[in-house]
Amino acid sequence: MSATAVHNLWTMAAADPIDKIDAPKIEYGQLAPTLIVIGAAVIGVLIEAFVPRKSRYYAQLFVSVVALAAAFAAVVALASGGYGTTKARIAAMGAIAVDGPALFLQGTILLAGLVAIFTFAERRLDPVTHGNRIDSFVAQAGAVPGSAGEQAATKAGFTTTEVFPLALFAIGGMLVFPAANDLLTLFIALEVFSLPLYLLCALARRKRLMSQEAAVKYFLLGAFASAFTLFGIALIYGYAGSVSYGTIAKVVDGTLTTVDPALAGTMGNDALLLIGAAMIVMGLLFKVGAVPFHMWTPDVYQGAPTPVTGFMAAATKVAAFGALLRLLYVVLPGLRWDWRPVMWGVAVITMLGGAIVAITQTDIKRLLAYSSIAHAGFILAGVIATTEEGVSSVLFYLGAYSFVTIGAFAVVTLVRDAGGEATHLSKWAGLGRRSPLVAAVFAVFLLAFAGIPLTSGFSGKFAVFKAAAEGGAGALVVVGVISSAIAAFFYIRVIVLMFFSEPKADGPTVAVPSPLTMTTIGVGVAVTLVLGVAPQYFLDLAGQAGVFVR
Amino acid sequence: MNTENLIALLVAAPLLGAAVLLCGGRRLDRVGHWLGTLLAAVSFVIGLVLFTDMLGKGTEERSLHQHLFSWIPVEGFQADVAFQLDQLSMTFVLLISGVGTLIHLYSIGYMEHDERRRRFFGYLNLFLAAMLLLVLADNYLLLYVGWEGVGLASYLLIGFWQHKPSAATAAKKAFLVNRVGDMGLSIAIMLMFTTFGTFAFKPVLEATAETSEGKLTAIGLMLLLAACGKSAQVPLQSWLGDAMEGPTPVSALIHAATMVTAGVYLIVRSGAIFNGAPDAQLAVTVVGAVTLLFGAIVGCAKDDIKKALAGSTMSQIGYMILAAGLGPIGYVFAIMHLVTHGFFKAGLFLGAGSVMHGMNDEVDMRKYGGLRKYMPVTFVTFGLGYLAIIGFPGLSGFFSKDKIIEAAFAKGGTEGWILGSVALLGAAITAYYMTRVMLLTFFGEKRWEPDAQGNAPHPHESPKSMTIPMILLAVGSVFAGGFFSIGDRFMHWLEPVTHHDHGDSPLSAATVTGATMVVLVIGVSLAWAQYGRRPVPSVAPRGSLVTRAARRDLLQDDFNHVVLVRGGEHLTRSLVYVDHTLVDGVVNGTAASVGGLSGRLRKLQNGYARSYAVSMFGGAAVLIVATLLMRAV
């Protein structure tokens, strides 16, 4: 480019008056759930700065619970105000959708977050040390494991109450993720909820090295996946000249043909579209833990503090599947003949891979991690249906699955020996003899994971497989059922282990938790049974919430 | 008030009785038997009310229908709990509730010393409810409920004295053999559903005209299998003899008068299906003919009074099945014989029970003899039943059996001749074995002796509660046949439901009657010559080969054992072998290979973030390439 030309550019720009930037129009009412949670997270940071150490725990717990409950109330108010159906719209200048799937998933995330926060706040499981009640989190995250500083911090009774604002930030990001209506919002939400999770994973009180290793792995691989996503977003922008879902969809359909002169060389290039879409989808598949992007899952689930694992396993999956659904149904429906076969393959290897590798696991947390991988495969089967029923069934499945998961991990926190949680399966032998109630509750969760009738797992699996079969994915359903059969083996094996094996002499004890964890487990059991015995109301609810706004 | 609303009460009354008696506990012990009898009587009275009402109506309006509720309302599969009361059902309702009430009454005395009497009445009421449901149902599925219900009641009652291993075994045997027949009925219902899309009587029977003969034959044969089970017809006859282990009122009610006739009801009710399937009809007549000879021959050899009567029951039901197989020529006579048989066979059984009651529960007729002096009422009522069953002129059996023999000849052709001759031969044997029973029991010298403990029986007449039902049944045995036949009353009553065809008999009615009389005299004389003129040994002689075979029920159990039990065992053993080696092999092999795969895949999870990243990178590459390839192809 010659100097003149450059000069012309400048002068031309100078000659034209700069367009006035309009103040963004934000519908605060419709975004209230997210705003409340993020606001509470900021307050949580301020509490860390200004409230005396002794009072922080109570202040943080209070703020978190109130914020999550208020945000959930806001979601209910929006839904009953018709924003889920007739008044569904796109808010915040096209950045965030307020529609049925978004509200349903936000409600699920908030409730799951609420019961998960209870397990974060649990302080009765370990005996009182140095006159202080302790929770699952490290006394001082900055202290080197095994160092004198760590001991001093423990002795001083420090606790990492920062976990509450971190969790709230993560929940805030998760609320935006499935509602994001342009690719940049999607990416920012992804990072907003991922970064606090990386931190949370590193905060285990015991087995700190393992916890930190898990966090680093999660962070590295998460960053790697984010890079793919971001690059995919760039490619799509190159293809469509926009990051807005609606505009991209129109360009894909061919209904919008106006070409941005600056992008004339790339716009409409299908290779960019296909590669970009695959890369964004890959980033989301990483978050849901689909094979072959699943390998972080077992290590991170095992290393993270168990309350965090439960929260992450439930809420991340809900948010990520929400975003995946919106991307595939709103942005790429015109491309479904391209992505469906690929997703078929991913779903098949995810279902089979998760179920098969779970068989040889010996650690309960890793077992549940592989179980979550298999479940991601089942949910993908519903995603592939590409029908409204498919969306509803996925929504229902996610709701059912999150409470079972949080409940199951909450039970894992109860079974302890001298070294903290006793997660090796051999230690669970004969648990049913020693603590029949806890073992029975865990058995209910396992049966729900296995999809046995009268549990929410069956209702969810039935809904998803039915939608998939009606959406023309019958073969996928067959694979799903086979995987379920394989998966049933290791779930039932744990039940057999608990009830039909002799207890070991030096076996773990079952801690009696505070009402907080009891609430979490109680809610888990109640939801599991209600959605299993009388799922119709909730199926209808999910059914009404099955339409995306475009 | 609409009378059709009463129909449900017919079933509800005894059902209520069963529920109250079986759930009520010991506090009902003192009144339970009266309550049971009362509710049976209520059912009978309601039956009478409906009957009088029906008589007051024109032929066209006699069929009543009551819809209670939708049982299984599924798209394309509708099952209702609904009742149909027409002339055929009415006949059965009166027989079942009438004879049933009498037998309830009789049981009060008979079971007086049994401490589980309340339970016994509960079972009897349960039986009545199930049997009434069977004959009142307006569709095959509900009929099946009643069918299974009577099977259950029969099982419970045969095994009522379950402390006796023989009773427990007999109950189990009856249950198992009946299951074979029940399977036939369930298959028939499934076939109906696939063929007609429904199993309600009306649409099914109306649709038979447009249905292929093959399908009708299949359904008909399955219905025949069901009838064979419930009505103890060859080849499913083996349970009836053993079923006599139950208390005698049970033998009278269930295994003589009512339940065993369910098969006849089923075939007559399904007449339209059999009319369209001549092959199935032929099978029915063959079964009937074989059984009527089989039962009669077994009856000749038995020394146990109840087992002799059981053989007789089998044989008489063989007559009914034979008649039912003849089609419209025979339906009316099958039912008529069924009703008269209900009277005289129940009466005979009650008489046998009365004899046993007076003889310390001895059942061996060779230990009886000369009882007419000690039990005059029993002797007279039993004697009238005897005359009725052998077809003594003027009594019930004479009219009904004679008609069946006529109808058999009227079938025409070689078949008609064969069937008619078999029926005639059967009549001769009937006369022989019933005379034998009569002579052994009531005539000759007394042959009873003190038992091992030195207790000599003191034969005495039974109490009023037992003799009154016997007298009433004897009245029926004497007059029912004549009442039905004079002016063809019964035929006109039933014709609208079953239709009637006179057939084309090669022999005149008088000839047949004459022949029947001749064989009757021959049979009676033979028996007289053998058991009346000569003293009877109190220990059975060894007897000829045929006699010995007949004593063993013509080797039915040996046959079943060799062919079915052994065969079945071999079959199951080979299936178990296949299951162990092939099926388990495949299953265990699959499990092992999945486990092995799991172990290998697990190694991929090596804990290095770099390997995980490579896997993600590879996955992303595959994802992109696959997406692009999809577009390319």
Side-chain angles (χ1 to χ4, degrees):
Chain A
M1 198 181 280
S2 69
T4 327
V6 174
H7 179 74
N8 282 346
L9 267 174
W10 284 105
T11 50
M12 272 170 72
D16 292 333
I18 296 168
D19 284 342
K20 219 164 52 179
I21 298 176
D22 290 325
K25 186 166 154 289
I26 304 293
E27 293 85 345
Y28 291 99
Q30 290 158 33
L31 302 177
T34 316
L35 296 177
I36 291 171
V37 173
I38 301 272
V42 172
I43 294 174
V45 173
L46 294 177
I47 290 173
E48 287 301 321
F50 297 110
V51 174
R53 193 182 286 280
K54 286 283 170 202
S55 317
R56 279 183 206 161
Y57 167 77
Y58 299 101
Q60 293 286 18
L61 181 58
F62 175 77
V63 168
S64 308
V65 170
V66 169
L68 291 173
F72 182 70
V75 167
V76 173
L78 284 174
S80 53
Y83 285 98
T85 48
T86 49
K87 285 160 79 180
R89 66 191 57 211
I90 294 164
M93 318 249 314
I96 291 178
V98 181
D99 59 8
L103 288 174
F104 189 96
L105 293 171
Q106 287 175 342
T108 310
I109 293 169
L110 287 167
L111 278 186
L114 185 62
V115 291
I117 284 289
F118 289 154
T119 60
F120 278 44
E122 177 63 57
R123 306 176 93 178
R124 295 261 184 91
L125 299 177
D126 274 317
V128 175
T129 38
H130 309 300
N132 298 305
R133 293 198 173 280
I134 54 175
D135 53 21
S136 306
F137 299 100
V138 64
Q140 196 170 31
V144 177
S147 67
E150 186 191 39
Q151 282 174 8
T154 312
K155 207 163 184 180
F158 291 175
T159 48
T160 311
T161 40
E162 288 90 344
V163 292
F164 294 101
L166 284 172
L168 286 180
F169 275 124
I171 293 174
M174 288 170 184
L175 294 182
V176 177
F177 202 45
N181 200 52
D182 70 47
L183 292 171
L184 285 181
T185 312
L186 179 83
F187 183 73
I188 290 167
L190 174 73
E191 293 305 319
V192 167
F193 84 74
S194 295
L195 291 169
L197 284 180
Y198 302 147
L199 271 179
L200 284 169
C201 286
L203 296 181
R205 175 172 284 268
R206 297 170 189 268
K207 298 177 190 158
R208 287 192 63 197
L209 287 174
M210 197 170 160
S211 170
Q212 293 182 349
E213 182 190 331
V216 171
K217 275 184 193 165
Y218 193 14
F219 172 66
L220 283 175
L221 297 171
F224 191 43
S226 291
F228 273 94
T229 308
L230 198 52
F231 194 51
I233 291 174
L235 291 178
I236 295 274
Y237 179 74
Y239 166 78
S242 167
V243 289
S244 156
Y245 281 10
T247 313
I248 301 169
K250 280 184 194 151
V251 177
V252 172
D253 286 346
T255 46
L256 186 74
T257 49
T258 331
V259 177
D260 184 338
L263 296 167
T266 57
M267 264 189 84
N269 184 338
D270 274 358
L272 288 186
L273 169 68
L274 294 172
I275 298 172
M279 290 173 103
I280 298 177
V281 165
M282 179 238 148
L284 297 178
L285 290 177
F286 172 81
K287 281 294 164 193
V288 304
V291 178
F293 315 108
H294 69 291
M295 301 190 87
W296 59 278
T297 319
D299 292 10
V300 173
Y301 277 27
Q302 190 184 14
T306 309
V308 174
T309 310
F311 168 63
M312 188 162 69
T316 310
K317 202 153 277 187
V318 177
F321 267 111
L324 184 63
L325 276 178
R326 191 177 294 278
L327 188 72
L328 294 180
Y329 282 60
V330 175
V331 185
L332 304 173
L335 217 56
R336 64 178 173 281
W337 302 116
D338 297 294
W339 64 255
R340 264 186 72 152
V342 181
M343 293 299 272
W344 262 70
V346 173
V348 166
I349 58 172
T350 304
M351 289 189 277
L352 286 175
I356 289 175
V357 182
I359 289 176
T360 42
Q361 297 306 314
T362 52
D363 185 279
I364 189 75
K365 284 168 84 178
R366 287 185 84 85
L367 180 81
L368 292 178
Y370 280 104
S371 146
S372 90
I373 294 170
H375 281 279
F378 299 141
I379 303 175
L380 277 177
V383 173
I384 289 169
T386 53
T387 56
E388 199 179 308
E389 286 72 32
V391 177
S392 312
S393 70
V394 169
L395 297 183
F396 180 85
Y397 198 116
L398 288 169
Y401 175 77
S402 10
F403 290 93
V404 183
T405 305
I406 294 179
F409 279 107
V411 174
V412 172
T413 63
L414 302 185
V415 183
R416 312 177 80 87
D417 59 13
E421 288 159 9
T423 54
H424 199 272
L425 269 180
S426 65
K427 299 204 170 152
W428 286 56
L431 194 70
R433 306 271 180 88
R434 233 180 265 154
S435 307
L437 183 64
V438 169
V441 165
F442 198 60
V444 169
F445 291 139
L446 289 173
L447 292 177
F449 280 134
I452 305 297
L454 300 186
T455 65
S456 57
F458 174 75
S459 316
K461 220 176 252 182
F462 184 80
V464 167
F465 286 168
K466 181 164 170 275
E470 283 170 359
L476 202 57
V477 173
V478 173
V479 176
V481 172
I482 292 174
S483 316
S484 299
I486 299 174
F489 167 76
F490 58 80
Y491 296 127
I492 306 292
R493 195 178 60 144
V494 176
I495 295 179
V496 170
L497 190 70
M498 289 194 300
F499 286 97
F500 302 106
S501 305
E502 284 303 318
K504 282 194 179 163
D506 58 343
T509 52
V510 171
V512 179
S514 69
L516 290 168
T517 302
M518 281 187 197
T519 310
T520 305
I521 297 175
V523 169
V525 172
V527 171
T528 304
L529 295 180
V530 168
L531 294 193
V533 176
Q536 198 54 51
Y537 173 77
F538 299 93
L539 284 170
D540 291 344
L541 205 61
Q544 289 159 11
V547 184
F548 288 101
V549 67
R550 279 168 217 282
Chain B
M1 182 182 174
N2 288 329
T3 41
E4 63 258 28
N5 292 336
L6 287 173
I7 301 176
L9 288 181
L10 285 170
V11 181
L15 195 62
L16 174 75
V20 170
L21 290 175
L22 294 178
C23 303
R26 288 172 196 282
R27 73 201 87 138
L28 287 175
D29 274 356
R30 284 178 48 233
V31 293
H33 45 285
W34 288 111
L35 183 68
T37 313
L38 178 73
L39 284 168
V42 164
S43 211
F44 180 57
V45 171
I46 297 172
L48 280 180
V49 169
L50 286 166
F51 179 58
T52 20
D53 179 67
M54 191 180 276
L55 286 181
K57 288 182 178 169
T59 311
E60 296 304 312
E61 297 148 14
R62 282 184 173 174
S63 180
L64 297 180
H65 194 266
Q66 181 186 16
H67 182 267
L68 273 193
F69 57 89
S70 256
W71 178 21
I72 311 174
V74 178
E75 181 69 35
F77 182 98
Q78 297 290 333
D80 292 335
V81 173
F83 297 127
Q84 170 184 318
L85 183 71
D86 57 10
Q87 290 91 328
L88 181 61
S89 305
M90 193 72 238
T91 312
F92 272 87
V93 166
L94 290 179
L95 176 75
I96 294 162
S97 58
V99 174
T101 307
L102 289 180
I103 285 169
H104 273 72
L105 194 63
Y106 175 93
S107 305
I108 293 174
Y110 190 86
M111 299 298 284
E112 198 174 353
H113 307 297
D114 196 302
E115 57 188 26
R116 292 161 72 230
R117 179 161 66 167
R118 171 182 54 84
R119 183 173 287 272
F120 182 77
F121 276 83
Y123 292 158
L124 279 188
N125 270 1
L126 176 65
F127 167 76
L128 276 196
M131 188 74 199
L132 288 168
L133 182 65
L134 195 164
V135 298
L136 285 170
D138 92 324
N139 61 67
Y140 281 97
L141 201 66
L142 193 60
L143 177 145
Y144 190 62
V145 176
W147 190 270
E148 292 296 311
V150 294
L152 169 68
S154 160
Y155 167 79
L156 292 170
L157 285 165
I158 297 170
F160 188 73
W161 287 324
Q162 57 205 209
H163 53 270
K164 290 198 292 184
S166 56
T169 314
K172 206 195 296 180
K173 184 175 181 185
F175 197 82
L176 286 176
V177 176
N178 265 293
R179 291 310 302 166
V180 179
D182 296 346
M183 218 164 55
L185 184 54
S186 56
I187 294 173
I189 293 175
M190 294 175 212
L191 286 175
M192 277 174 207
F193 185 72
T194 57
T195 313
F196 307 108
T198 173
F199 30 69
F201 288 150
K202 204 168 145 53
V204 167
L205 299 178
E206 278 170 2
T208 48
E210 297 97 51
T211 311
S212 76
E213 194 184 316
K215 282 182 179 166
L216 290 180
T217 308
I219 296 175
L221 289 177
M222 284 299 123
L223 289 174
L224 174 63
L225 181 65
C228 283
K230 207 51 93 194
S231 295
Q233 300 294 294
V234 174
L236 298 179
Q237 80 293 355
S238 66
W239 62 275
L240 187 63
D242 294 357
M244 297 301 132
E245 288 293 339
T248 307
V250 172
S251 314
L253 175 62
I254 297 188
H255 305 121
T258 53
M259 185 188 89
V260 286
T261 59
V264 183
Y265 171 78
L266 185 66
I267 291 177
V268 173
R269 177 58 83 194
S270 317
I273 293 174
F274 285 96
N275 293 347
D279 293 337
Q281 267 186 331
L282 181 65
V284 174
T285 52
V286 169
V287 164
V290 169
T291 311
L292 87 85
L293 288 182
F294 187 101
I297 293 169
V298 169
C300 292
K302 291 286 184 185
D303 289 333
D304 178 326
I305 184 168
K306 284 177 74 181
K307 295 211 165 153
L309 291 178
S312 154
T313 302
M314 219 185 274
S315 161
Q316 297 301 315
I317 295 170
Y319 273 108
M320 299 169 209
I321 295 278
L322 167 62
L326 296 172
I329 319 173
Y331 292 141
V332 171
F333 303 130
I335 300 298
M336 187 159 104
H337 192 56
L338 189 154
V339 175
T340 58
H341 174 257
F343 284 116
F344 58 67
K345 187 50 64 63
L348 287 169
F349 264 108
L350 294 192
S354 174
V355 169
M356 287 159 57
H357 195 71
M359 294 292 291
N360 289 357
D361 286 331
E362 178 60 69
V363 290
D364 188 351
M365 292 188 286
R366 292 184 185 274
K367 306 266 168 61
Y368 294 166
L371 288 177
R372 67 178 184 282
K373 281 176 292 199
Y374 302 92
M375 302 180 175
V377 180
T378 307
F379 168 61
V380 171
T381 54
F382 195 95
L384 289 172
Y386 155 72
L387 292 177
I389 192 173
I390 64 173
F392 191 81
L395 273 69
S396 288
F398 167 76
F399 293 102
S400 52
K401 198 194 289 178
D402 198 51
K403 294 282 188 199
I404 293 180
I405 299 172
E406 271 178 48
F409 280 114
K411 169 92 173 161
T414 329
E415 283 170 40
W417 281 104
I418 296 173
L419 294 174
S421 317
V422 168
L424 260 184
L425 179 61
I429 309 177
T430 307
Y432 170 80
Y433 70 74
M434 281 313 298
T435 310
R436 172 176 175 270
V437 169
M438 199 67 196
L439 292 173
L440 285 176
T441 306
F442 292 102
F443 293 88
E445 293 303 311
K446 60 177 189 180
R447 294 182 297 274
W448 62 85
E449 285 156 5
D451 60 14
Q453 283 85 41
N455 298 328
H458 299 285
H460 55 274
E461 191 52 85
S462 299
K464 283 254 164 35
S465 68
M466 290 170 66
T467 49
I468 289 173
M470 286 154 58
I471 293 166
L472 289 174
L473 287 171
V475 171
S477 317
V478 175
F479 298 109
F483 178 78
F484 288 160
S485 290
I486 291 164
D488 286 340
R489 270 204 195 97
F490 198 74
M491 191 188 296
H492 294 310
W493 158 253
L494 216 50
E495 204 177 354
V497 184
T498 61
H499 307 292
H500 187 70
D501 179 358
H502 284 285
D504 185 19
S505 181
L507 302 171
S508 72
T511 323
V512 174
T513 312
T516 315
M517 285 306 108
V518 171
V519 300
L520 171 68
V521 171
I522 294 172
V524 173
S525 320
L526 270 175
W528 170 252
Q530 210 172 341
Y531 297 98
R533 285 197 324 182
R534 295 196 296 249
V536 180
S538 60
V539 177
R542 191 153 179 273
S544 69
L545 203 62
V546 181
T547 315
R548 271 181 283 151
R551 277 191 197 133
R552 288 183 65 102
D553 300 296
L554 294 179
L555 305 178
Q556 60 183 17
D557 292 338
D558 307 79
F559 175 83
N560 286 349
H561 187 78
V562 171
V563 176
L564 300 179
V565 179
R566 291 253 182 84
E569 277 173 358
H570 284 302
L571 183 67
T572 47
R573 266 191 222 131
S574 34
L575 286 179
V576 166
Y577 178 77
V578 170
D579 184 56
H580 274 305
T581 52
L582 198 67
V583 179
D584 285 6
V586 170
V587 170
N588 293 338
T590 312
S593 55
V594 169
L597 187 62
S598 174
R600 274 194 291 281
L601 285 179
R602 202 183 153 188
K603 296 213 178 79
L604 293 176
Q605 190 80 25
N606 57 11
Y608 293 118
R610 53 176 186 264
S611 318
Y612 298 177
V614 166
S615 142
M616 281 168 63
F617 187 82
V622 171
L623 209 63
I624 290 166
V625 170
T627 315
L628 289 174
L629 275 180
M630 281 310 140
R631 179 57 65 91
V633 275

